[in-house]
């Protein structure tokens, strides 16, 4: 990326520079986890997880590769969490058994982490330390100041990380909402103070930078949802993210205003609401919340349901409803479904399917961009300019974005009037090490980083070999060729038999499979030398013969697995 | 869908009603193929193909299921093609060997069909009959009038299908471009005449109906592209669809205007351009077109390339360039890549990857919505209202859209001021039969329809069983358990051996696989009765034992294939 990436990466701890490394983030730089080093001290920022992309077949979730931290456990002073979203806290259950450092976060963030750790039986060992926005915690040579920012979850913070060399600011996810739903503004005063004191480098969320102007306020959603709920004559079901506590509050408020009881559908949503209520981040008037079962006893126009699944996730509440597969809820004509979310790239097809299926049931469906029933939690172009104006950083490193977002951010930040010199903006990838001293910043090298796949119970046992095999199997299936060979002579004693799955419908492909057997028989009998069987040779011979023949006949390449038995 | 869908579908030909059936279209109603019947006469409208969705693993393309036409070949009077896009002509090479009726289309449409049939050696048998927009052809009792409409390919037509009972209009794909790039307006006069004469039913493209207002004119694209090309100091590469002949013409014009030679990259693009030039639909000034190899001898600011792959298709020219895998072209800093297309839902991730990779090479990348470098070829809301005003149809059946689009179309068409009675608008699915007489329209029943998968050379051999197996294989891989059994006693003689792919990385899972073998051995030795082996029983025993054990240990479910050899 930058030309100086080959610079020598000094493995020794030193107080001469700060080292900053985005460790993981699927398709994006950073997002899930970061490491910051100074002298002997290391802090980790966020420990999130990602959801697999389409071609990561059979994978349940994706974690950052933490091998860079191996052998450095003693130097880790703490884990600072910016906010309680899955992509920032979801990796903790996998990290803690290996690296058990104190975890710092605001009350709601820790509440959501507590839930997660409890589920996995890891809460007892975890060392959770609550901070309030405005607090500064000392972690070795670092003083980490938590500064409130707006985002689509309450209690989000950016981190001002003070070191003897200078202050770096890591934004986490943010927007500069002028009228946040919870009334809790971004702490502009502290940002201004940090700018005045001097910010050496800004590491900033840039994922929404392709959008001009300002991201609309979260309150806009309530303004759209209110009249829709008011006008609906039947039940209203609003799908959103389980973690959008501010959105959930607004929906409760709307239910109260228009005389509807509110029910929750989806386990993660119920858990999050419970935590938020207990900690005082969500206020539900007495009697407003009912169970989904209770809604059956209400008139349809007294029912408002919040559910998960706005991304069309196949096992979510909304997908189950759309597929007539929910134990709790049947869609019916007269219902109004509102998708209060924009599909994340890659989810458009499954979201579209949910919409189509709900329409087919005679329901009304409302979704963006047809109505503004969702706003982003991330800053648009003008907000980025405002943050740069407040902080006036010397160096800027956009993170939490794809390459296209980093490029757009660099254009915005270096434009006339904004004026960060282009040479002071670094576009990096996961594992790239930014080193900073008071005079300069540079890419110092690269460390191991990447994705660790989780499938079922196991972490990491799934490597690229396994994924690659799944892709091959998925394309044209598998075909076993079973033969029994005389150990002494190498002659065919029994078989070949063929077993195939996912290649052709075997019942209709008798001729093709019979011809394949003949080819194998010919190929093996050709070897008439009466020499003992060479297992490797036979394997390769069978595989090559069958693969070539099937490709000629069908233009497909099933995975051919020879099974050679010797007697 | 409609309540009367269960009405008896009379299998006998009759002159008392017209029958209209959308036969195929992946996720959309119609789009690929339609059947219209009256008395003994049948016409087919369009014979397209679809591209597989993500979960259709290993499938190359998808064809309409034509089993409804079996035994009706003698009644088919002709195949009318509305325009030359793949999703309207791409199924012809598979249809013609089964149903060889005369094919009617405008010159460009037939030119593109000719190319396609030539490639497959099918041209000699095909009976291609050229029509000009404005012509009417008599096909049995049908008089089919071809009426010019604007779309993203020249020479597109809607069909006014005149019958003794009344006229039905089938739009094909259309927009009402006020200033088409080729200057050839939609034939409003004829549409007005049809409206005056009376239209019994309108079957209309509705895929872009979620967009308010009017679709921008194709000329808008040139207005955006011109300055970008003018200002670029290096090479410019514009990716678009091979069939967007009007777009291609505009790009040639821009090359000419700004002193750049134009080269083509992508086989389908080269073929289409050749056909369009030969037929006079594309004008290229002498010396403007060069080969890609020739561009190496030009200054960078004299080079303009048109390539395929704007949808991120993995084997397309643009994807290969982005992945350093093109034999013809290497991306370099200073290049400007323009994606003159909007991702089709489902393609966002692969398009995003192409954009990111091009940026990583130091190139500039421009794509919608950051610049208006693409416009749709389909009508927006106001154009639909205009068409309804021109034709004043009695019944309206939106086709060529997902369920969400049909619903939105029904809202637009039945709104005050547009005023089609909601009861006269039918929302149907593939295979639904609309019957019309002069008094009424209704859904008469349902006929076989759906998708036929093409994988490699074979059509239809791939059914849902095979796709399902591929999905299972893709999720957790495959595991073979190979045992040799004494035929007389049923005792284990050799094995079990285990071969696995796509499940675990076998080299690291020795213990798990050893334990699995022990389980199999225990399960089989438990059967100590000295009775001959029952193959089915052994198979099931092995499969159940292994599946259960592996699920307990890993929470994964590989496909377990027992291989039982008897000696």
């Amino acid at each position: 990326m930058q030309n100086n990436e080959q610079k020598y990466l000094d493995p020794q701890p030193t107080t001469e520079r700060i080292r900053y490394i985005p460790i993981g983030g699927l398709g994006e730089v950073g997002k899930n986890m970061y490491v910051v080093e100074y002298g002997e001290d290391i802090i980790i920022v966020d420990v999130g997880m990602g959801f697999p992309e389409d071609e990561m077949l059979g994978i349940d979730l994706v974690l950052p590769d933490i091998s860079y931290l191996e052998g450095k456990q003693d130097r880790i002073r703490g884990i600072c969490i910016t906010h309680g979203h899955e992509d920032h806290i979801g990796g903790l259950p996998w990290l803690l058994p290996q690296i058990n450092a104190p975890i710092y976060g605001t009350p709601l963030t820790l509440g959501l982490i507590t839930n997660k750790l409890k589920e996995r039986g890891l809460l007892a060992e975890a060392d959770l330390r609550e901070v309030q926005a405005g607090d500064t915690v000392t972690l070795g040579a670092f003083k980490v100041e938590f500064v409130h920012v707006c985002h689509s979850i309450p209690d989000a913070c950016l981190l001002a990380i003070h070191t003897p060399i200078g202050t770096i600011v890591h934004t986490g996810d943010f927007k500069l909402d002028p009228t946040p739903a919870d009334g809790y503004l971004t702490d502009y005063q502290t940002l201004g103070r940090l700018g005045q004191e001097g910010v050496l480098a800004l590491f900033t969320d840039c994922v929404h930078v392709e959008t001009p102007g300002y991201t609309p306020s979260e309150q806009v959603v309530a303004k759209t949802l209110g009249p829709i709920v008011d006008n609906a004559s039947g039940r209203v079901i609003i799908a959103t993210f389980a973690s959008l506590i501010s959105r959930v509050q607004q929906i409760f408020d709307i239910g109260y205003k228009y005389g509807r009881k509110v029910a929750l559908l989806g386990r993660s949503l119920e858990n999050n609401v419970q935590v938020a209520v207990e900690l005082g981040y969500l206020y539900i008037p007495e009697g407003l919340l009912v169970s989904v079962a209770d809604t059956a006893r209400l008139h349809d126009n007294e029912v408002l349901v919040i559910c998960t699944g706005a991304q069309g996730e196949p096992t979510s509440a909304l997908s189950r409803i759309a597929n007539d597969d929910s134990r709790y809820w049947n869609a019916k004509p007269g219902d109004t479904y509102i998708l209060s979310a924009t599909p994340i790239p890659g989810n458009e097809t499954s979201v579209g399917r949910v919409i189509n299926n709900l329409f087919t049931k005679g329901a009304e469906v409302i979704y963006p961009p047809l109505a503004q029933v969702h706003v982003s939690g991330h800053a648009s172009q003008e907000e980025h300019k405002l943050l740069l104006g407040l902080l006036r950083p010397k160096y800027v490193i956009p993170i939490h974005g794809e390459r296209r977002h980093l490029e757009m951010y660099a254009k915005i930040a270096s434009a006339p009037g904004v004026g960060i010199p282009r040479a002071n903006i670094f576009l990096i990838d996961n594992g790239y090490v930014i080193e900073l001293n008071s005079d300069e910043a540079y890419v110092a090298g690269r460390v191991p980083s990447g994705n660790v796949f989780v499938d079922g119970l196991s972490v990491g046992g799934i490597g690229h070999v396994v994924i690659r095999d799944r892709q091959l199997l998925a394309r044209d299936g598998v075909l076993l060729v079973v033969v029994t060979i005389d150990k002494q002579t190498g002659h065919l004693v029994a078989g070949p038999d063929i077993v195939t799955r996912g290649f052709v419908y075997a019942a209709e492909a008798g001729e093709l499979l019979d011809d394949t057997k003949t080819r194998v028989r010919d190929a093996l009998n050709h070897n008439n030398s009466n020499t003992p069987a060479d297992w490797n040779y036979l394997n390769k011979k069978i595989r090559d013969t069958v693969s070539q023949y099937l490709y000629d006949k069908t233009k497909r390449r099933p995975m051919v697995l020879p099974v050679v038995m010797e007697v």
Side-chain angles (χ1 to χ4, degrees), chain A:
Chain A
M1 300 213 157
Q2 306 281 330
N3 286 331
N4 46 359
E5 69 184 68
Q6 298 309 330
K7 204 154 175 171
Y8 173 64
L9 180 65
D10 183 353
Q12 293 309 314
T14 165
T15 54
E16 283 168 26
R17 50 186 169 259
I18 308 165
R19 182 176 283 174
Y20 179 101
I21 316 170
I23 285 287
L26 208 53
E28 296 186 24
V29 182
K31 177 170 178 175
N32 293 154
M33 186 171 173
Y34 307 84
V35 169
V36 190
E37 294 180 56
Y38 174 74
E40 287 287 340
D41 303 315
I42 294 178
I43 55 174
I44 293 171
V45 177
D46 289 344
V47 185
M49 65 173 202
F51 293 98
E53 296 171 0
D54 278 343
E55 71 275 17
M56 297 176 184
L57 297 169
I59 296 301
D60 298 319
L61 48 98
V62 182
L63 299 173
D65 174 358
I66 56 166
S67 53
Y68 174 68
L69 294 172
E70 273 167 25
K72 302 190 178 73
Q73 280 87 335
D74 294 345
R75 295 171 51 200
I76 299 169
R77 307 291 170 238
I79 301 169
C80 301
I81 306 291
T82 58
H83 65 287
H85 279 159
E86 279 302 313
D87 53 340
H88 296 256
I89 68 170
L92 282 169
W94 283 272
L95 181 79
L96 287 191
Q98 296 169 266
I99 296 176
N100 195 350
I103 300 171
Y104 296 86
T106 54
L108 180 61
T109 306
L110 289 194
L112 294 168
I113 291 172
T114 300
N115 242 2
K116 186 168 291 296
L117 297 179
K118 209 185 280 173
E119 271 175 20
R120 304 245 166 200
L122 291 166
L123 189 57
E125 298 101 86
D127 177 3
L128 302 180
R129 303 194 187 179
E130 186 174 301
V131 295
Q132 300 290 339
D135 287 355
T136 297
V137 295
T138 300
L139 300 171
F142 294 109
K143 293 190 192 310
V144 181
E145 186 177 0
F146 285 72
V147 182
H148 180 68
V149 289
C150 293
H151 184 43
S152 44
I153 188 171
D155 236 6
C157 286
L158 68 67
L159 306 178
I161 304 171
H162 304 283
T163 76
I165 282 182
T167 297
I168 65 175
V169 171
H170 174 101
T171 65
D173 297 0
F174 81 101
K175 64 192 272 191
L176 301 178
D177 194 331
T179 57
D182 61 1
Y184 190 3
L185 284 170
T186 296
D187 183 355
Y188 297 113
Q189 290 69 32
T190 298
L191 296 179
R193 193 206 82 221
L194 290 168
Q196 199 159 38
E197 292 170 0
V199 173
L200 180 58
L202 169 67
F203 295 83
T204 177
D205 168 14
C206 68
V207 74
H208 202 58
V209 72
E210 288 184 350
T211 305
Y214 294 87
T215 303
S217 170
E218 177 67 26
Q219 288 200 6
V220 167
V221 177
K223 289 200 181 113
T224 313
L225 289 179
I228 296 172
V229 173
D230 190 21
N231 292 326
S233 55
R235 308 182 299 181
V236 177
I237 301 88
I238 303 178
T240 190
F241 297 101
S243 59
L244 280 185
I245 301 296
S246 310
R247 184 81 41 94
V248 171
Q249 177 71 67
Q250 294 191 98
I251 299 171
F252 272 107
D253 294 347
I254 288 169
Y256 185 76
K257 180 168 175 188
Y258 295 110
R260 289 175 184 253
K261 302 287 185 190
V262 181
L264 304 173
L265 196 50
R267 196 175 56 90
S268 55
L269 179 66
E270 291 168 51
N271 289 345
N272 286 358
V273 164
Q274 196 190 337
V275 170
V277 167
E278 282 168 12
L279 296 172
Y281 288 90
L282 191 59
Y283 172 69
I284 305 179
E286 189 73 27
L288 185 63
L289 180 65
V290 297
S291 74
V292 170
D294 285 342
T295 63
R297 286 193 288 271
L298 299 168
H299 293 296
D300 283 352
N301 65 2
E302 295 168 348
V303 176
L304 179 57
V305 173
I306 314 176
C307 75
T308 54
Q311 291 292 329
E313 306 92 322
T315 59
S316 68
L318 189 65
S319 274
R320 287 186 189 279
I321 292 170
N323 288 300
D324 279 334
D325 186 32
S326 170
R327 273 185 294 164
Y328 310 105
W329 192 261
N330 290 310
K332 64 179 184 184
D335 284 355
T336 300
Y337 292 82
I338 303 172
L339 275 73
S340 181
T342 305
I344 294 165
N347 290 352
E348 289 84 355
T349 318
S350 40
V351 171
R353 226 171 271 155
V354 166
I355 293 172
N356 289 328
N357 287 341
L358 291 171
F359 270 128
T360 304
K361 295 184 192 330
E364 173 70 336
V365 192
I366 294 170
Y367 45 96
L370 300 186
Q372 197 165 30
V373 288
H374 178 68
V375 297
S376 173
H378 297 270
S380 299
Q381 290 177 1
E382 296 306 313
E383 289 156 273
H384 283 294
K385 293 179 193 167
L386 179 49
L387 186 71
L388 287 168
L390 282 160
L391 293 177
R392 294 186 300 186
K394 182 165 180 191
Y395 300 104
V396 182
I397 299 92
I399 50 172
H400 196 313
E402 300 172 31
R403 181 76 194 193
R404 59 198 274 183
H405 304 123
L406 310 187
E407 297 276 351
M408 178 58 92
Y409 185 91
K411 274 184 199 131
I412 299 284
S414 62
V418 186
I420 307 287
R422 181 62 185 81
N424 287 8
I425 303 172
F426 293 84
L427 308 192
I428 58 172
D429 204 347
N430 286 316
Y432 279 73
V433 180
I434 293 278
E435 287 190 350
L436 300 137
N437 57 38
S438 47
D439 296 324
E440 57 166 350
Y442 50 88
V443 178
R446 198 161 187 183
V447 303
S449 76
N451 303 314
V452 177
F453 301 122
V454 181
D455 177 10
L457 288 185
S458 84
V459 182
I462 306 296
H464 287 284
V465 174
V466 173
I467 301 283
R468 175 77 191 138
D469 278 347
R470 287 182 186 173
Q471 288 167 345
L472 289 175
L473 289 166
R475 205 182 51 192
D476 287 326
V478 64
L479 186 130
L480 321 187
V481 182
V482 186
V483 296
T484 309
I485 299 290
D486 184 311
K487 206 182 300 192
Q488 304 307 324
T489 65
H491 288 179
L492 191 65
V493 178
D497 292 312
I498 287 182
V499 180
T500 181
R501 291 286 187 282
F503 166 51
V504 289
Y505 187 47
E508 290 175 0
E511 195 182 333
L512 177 72
L513 299 181
D514 283 346
D515 288 352
T516 307
K517 288 182 199 170
T518 306
R519 296 290 166 129
V520 173
R521 211 172 286 123
D522 292 352
L524 295 182
N525 286 340
H526 194 70
N527 171 36
N528 247 336
S529 54
N530 279 335
T531 52
D534 174 336
W535 191 85
N536 277 328
Y537 171 80
L538 288 175
N539 249 309
K540 184 166 166 15
K541 181 109 182 171
I542 294 171
R543 198 189 327 256
D544 291 352
T545 304
V546 172
S547 297
Q548 187 59 49
Y549 178 69
L550 292 177
Y551 183 73
D552 290 345
K553 284 289 176 187
T554 66
K555 291 281 176 283
R556 292 184 229 164
R557 298 189 185 281
M559 183 185 283
V560 176
L561 295 179
V563 178
V564 180
M565 314 282 284
E566 292 176 337
V567 290

